[in-house]
């Protein structure tokens, strides 16, 4: 019998090692938007501010660079980022001296240019692609980055009116026969081939130095138009799904709705949720280990007036974005810390007007996210509706990632998490919850 016990012991040890390896292989990709460095007041977030959270991260992406008219990769703020200024790039890669296992990447793209046409033009000639590749290589070599995260600016799908199931069925037929409107990119087939060439050429230029190349799929981009998965996947270290902002008050001013649902809410576009995107990429041949799911740390918020209900159940009529947050400095966007302060609490429960409490509606189904709302007053003012992520919903998404054996999660980004611990005294609650549920 001793040999049976030994075999069982070996199997248990092996299983333990496999589990530990799987946990260690799970990525926690943390983003730092360097625009936070120049925000004023409480909105200013430095690398020193996020440093206490970096022990939870496997990778840090410093964002975001873009391309100029010559199609070269450039810093959007040289005085902030480069050596002749505040040396943010240099300080970011120096963080590896404190966190030796941390990989630091340069983020390129992610909706900072607002001009997808410029990016598509870069694809269309080998000269422009070479300029992009050489300038990207020069930046990561000069500042000792471990690679790049490329959030290529493909055109986004058009905003569509929410339809019931019957309307959705007939719309899908119209779409199939080409009667539902012009495509966002008439040359998408050419651009798909050119993007494949760009990825291959980028990876070839990085291979000698062992630089990483990840690709971020931006929100509201139809990846089936542009990603030839069999041709590119071996040249990409992982695909990061920016799985949020499917609805925003800037994208759709008239309708407030979930911004980052895990599954499809009733009678919505079936493609605008995390589960669809993950399932689609898996079906097209992306390995489970190469799919990373993005988790936001912020709320998207709309003004609401007439038509709001006492439950706040979305979608509901809206009137554009709320005023900018004190910390976020962006219309229709609040950091998680700001959200915490707005939800009903002993300090605000008796306040009125724009400082009145926002009622939280949780997500017991674990399919969407929580939301909060404040009904308009008798004059139709101060109404607000927001979709947001909290530690529980972030943990649910990490549990989904673990259940499907995906490659990990990304936290987008650290500057909007509660890095000061203002809400409950716990710093980086969204990051920590996601990391814990991933284990």
């Amino acid at each position: 019998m001793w040999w049976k016990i030994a075999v069982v012991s070996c199997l248990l040890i092996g299983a333990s090692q496999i589990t530990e390896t799987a946990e260690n292989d799970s990525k926690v990709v943390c983003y730092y938007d360097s625009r936070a460095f120049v925000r004023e007041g409480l909105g200013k977030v430095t690398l020193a501010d996020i440093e206490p959270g970096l022990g939870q991260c496997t990778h840090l992406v410093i964002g975001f660079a873009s391309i100029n008219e010559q199609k070269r990769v450039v810093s959007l703020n040289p005085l902030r980022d480069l050596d002749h200024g505040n040396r943010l790039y240099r300080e970011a890669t120096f963080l590896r001296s404190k966190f030796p296992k941390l990989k630091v990447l340069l983020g390129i793209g992610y909706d900072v240019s607002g001009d997808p046409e410029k990016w598509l033009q870069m694809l269309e000639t080998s000269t422009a692609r070479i300029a992009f590749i050489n300038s990207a290589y020069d930046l990561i070599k000069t500042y000792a980055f471990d690679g790049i995260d490329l959030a290529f600016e493909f055109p986004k799908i058009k905003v569509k009116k929410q339809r019931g199931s019957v309307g959705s069925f007939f719309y899908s037929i119209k779409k199939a026969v080409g009667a539902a409107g012009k495509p966002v990119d008439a040359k998408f087939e050419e651009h798909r081939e050119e993007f494949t060439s760009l990825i291959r050429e980028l990876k070839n230029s990085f291979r000698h130095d062992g630089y990483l190349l990840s690709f971020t799929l931006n929100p509201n981009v139809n990846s089936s138009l542009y990603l030839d998965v069999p041709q590119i996947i071996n040249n990409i270290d992982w695909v990061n799904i920016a799985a949020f902002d499917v609805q925003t008050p800037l994208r759709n001013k008239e309708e407030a709705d979930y911004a980052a649902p895990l599954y499809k809410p009733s009678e919505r576009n079936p493609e605008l949720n995390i589960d669809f995107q993950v399932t689609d990429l898996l079906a097209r041949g992306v390995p489970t280990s190469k799919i990373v799911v993005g988790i936001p740390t912020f709320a998207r918020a709309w003004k609401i007036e007439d038509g709001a209900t006492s439950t706040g159940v979305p979608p509901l009529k809206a009137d554009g974005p709320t005023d900018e947050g004190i910390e976020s400095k962006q219309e229709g966007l609040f950091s998680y810390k700001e959200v915490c302060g707005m939800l009903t609490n002993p300090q605000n429960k008796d306040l009125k007007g724009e400082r009145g409490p926002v009622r939280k509606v949780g997500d017991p189904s674990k399919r969407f996210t929580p939301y909060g709302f404040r009904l308009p007053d008798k004059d139709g003012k101060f109404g607000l509706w927001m979709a947001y992520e909290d530690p529980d919903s972030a943990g649910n998404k990490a549990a989904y990632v673990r259940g499907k054996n995906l490659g990990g999660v990304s936290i987008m980004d650290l500057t909007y998490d509660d890095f000061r611990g203002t809400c409950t005294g716990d710093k980086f609650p969204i990051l920590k919850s996601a990391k814990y549920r991933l284990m």
Side-chain angles (χ1 to χ4, degrees):
M1 293 296 294
W2 66 269
W3 62 272
K4 293 183 178 180
I5 295 173
V7 169
V8 171
S9 298
C10 289
L11 289 173
L12 289 173
I13 292 171
S16 174
Q17 290 175 339
I18 291 171
T19 301
E20 182 178 358
T21 300
E23 290 175 356
N24 290 340
D25 286 346
S26 295
K27 296 177 180 64
V28 180
V29 184
C30 298
Y31 282 72
Y32 171 75
D33 186 343
S34 60
R35 288 173 292 182
F37 186 84
V38 295
R39 292 201 295 254
E40 297 178 356
L42 293 174
K44 182 181 178 69
V45 186
T46 67
L47 288 175
D49 290 323
I50 67 164
E51 191 173 313
L54 294 182
Q56 307 290 323
C57 307
T58 60
H59 299 74
L60 174 64
V61 177
I62 303 297
F64 292 93
S66 189
I67 57 176
N68 62 15
E69 293 303 319
Q70 290 72 44
K71 309 305 183 284
R72 294 180 57 83
V73 179
V74 293
S75 161
L76 292 174
N77 189 335
L79 291 178
R80 172 196 60 202
D81 297 333
L82 306 185
D83 280 348
H84 62 268
N86 287 311
R87 297 168 50 89
L88 187 132
Y89 285 173
R90 190 74 65 186
E91 291 185 6
T93 56
F94 186 72
L95 287 168
R96 289 189 302 249
S97 65
K98 298 180 180 180
F99 305 95
K101 295 182 179 180
L102 185 71
K103 301 293 185 183
V104 184
L105 282 68
L106 175 64
I108 303 174
Y110 188 58
D111 204 26
V112 290
S113 71
D115 182 11
E117 188 62 31
K118 179 171 67 175
W119 290 77
L120 295 178
Q121 289 171 0
M122 182 266 285
L123 292 178
E124 293 173 353
T125 69
S126 59
T127 301
R129 293 198 302 270
I130 290 171
F132 177 90
I133 292 167
N134 288 344
S135 56
Y137 180 88
D138 287 346
L139 271 177
I140 61 176
K141 186 77 170 179
T142 299
Y143 291 96
F145 285 102
D146 293 298
I148 67 170
D149 175 64
L150 177 60
F152 196 95
E153 288 302 311
F154 290 115
K156 300 182 184 302
I157 62 174
K158 298 174 182 178
V159 178
K160 297 181 178 65
K161 181 181 178 181
Q162 299 295 354
R163 296 173 169 83
S165 56
V166 175
S168 296
F169 173 74
F170 284 108
Y171 181 78
S172 66
I173 295 175
K174 290 170 64 180
K175 181 178 179 182
V177 298
K182 296 180 180 179
V184 294
D185 178 9
K187 298 194 294 183
F188 71 88
E189 292 177 328
E190 297 173 30
H191 292 143
R192 179 171 59 230
E193 294 180 7
E194 292 157 353
F195 183 70
T196 299
S197 297
L198 174 69
I199 293 297
R200 181 177 60 249
E201 294 158 3
L202 255 178
K203 192 61 176 179
N204 285 340
S205 72
F206 288 179
R207 209 176 300 277
H208 175 75
D209 297 278
Y211 292 142
L212 297 170
L213 173 58
S214 62
F215 168 72
T216 287
L217 177 59
N218 281 332
N220 296 302
V221 169
N222 183 350
S223 67
S224 65
L225 297 182
Y226 299 108
L227 303 189
D228 187 343
V229 170
Q231 295 297 320
I232 67 172
I233 197 58
N234 289 335
N235 291 316
I236 291 177
D237 291 284
W238 68 88
V239 177
N240 174 50
I241 303 172
F244 47 84
D245 283 358
V246 297
Q247 301 293 344
T248 76
L250 296 179
R251 179 172 168 79
N252 187 350
K253 297 181 179 181
E254 298 178 356
E255 196 169 55
D257 204 353
Y258 293 111
L262 180 54
Y263 294 97
K264 181 182 84 71
S266 177
E267 297 188 354
R268 307 297 207 283
N269 184 328
E271 300 180 9
L272 298 183
N273 60 85
I274 294 171
D275 185 63
F276 175 87
Q277 294 188 69
V278 168
T279 303
D280 176 63
L281 290 176
L282 290 173
R284 289 159 58 195
V286 179
T288 55
S289 62
K290 287 193 175 186
I291 295 180
V292 171
V293 173
I295 298 175
T297 56
F298 52 83
R300 291 295 186 182
W302 289 256
K303 294 177 182 177
I304 56 173
E305 297 179 350
D306 297 334
T309 66
S310 59
T311 62
V313 176
L316 67 164
K317 185 179 178 181
D319 187 29
T322 59
D323 295 336
E324 65 180 33
I326 295 174
E327 294 191 11
S328 69
K329 305 299 182 183
Q330 293 187 47
E331 290 184 333
L333 188 148
F334 298 117
S335 69
Y336 177 61
K337 178 200 165 188
E338 290 175 295
V339 170
C340 283
M342 297 165 67
L343 299 178
T344 304
N345 61 68
Q347 284 72 43
N348 69 11
K349 64 183 181 65
D350 295 322
L351 298 180
K352 304 294 182 183
E354 63 181 354
R355 295 189 179 183
V358 173
R359 176 185 170 188
K360 174 182 177 178
V361 179
D363 179 27
S365 71
K366 300 181 181 180
R367 297 179 62 83
F368 315 122
T369 61
Y371 63 85
F373 70 99
R374 180 174 60 221
L375 292 175
D377 64 15
K378 61 181 181 180
D379 297 320
K381 297 180 179 180
F382 309 118
L384 173 151
W385 190 95
M386 61 183 178
Y388 66 95
E389 207 81 47
D390 66 6
D392 288 339
S393 62
N396 292 338
K397 289 178 178 178
Y400 170 91
V401 166
R402 183 185 178 190
K404 288 187 173 291
N405 296 313
L406 303 181
V409 299
S410 60
I411 306 300
M412 303 178 77
D413 65 63
L414 294 183
T415 71
Y416 291 131
D417 202 351
D418 184 16
F419 64 90
R420 295 187 178 97
T422 304
C423 296
T424 63
D426 186 26
K427 296 181 179 180
F428 298 98
I430 291 178
L431 166 62
K432 288 181 179 178
S433 178
K435 175 69 176 288
Y436 176 77
R437 296 292 297 278
L438 200 61
M439 301 296 287

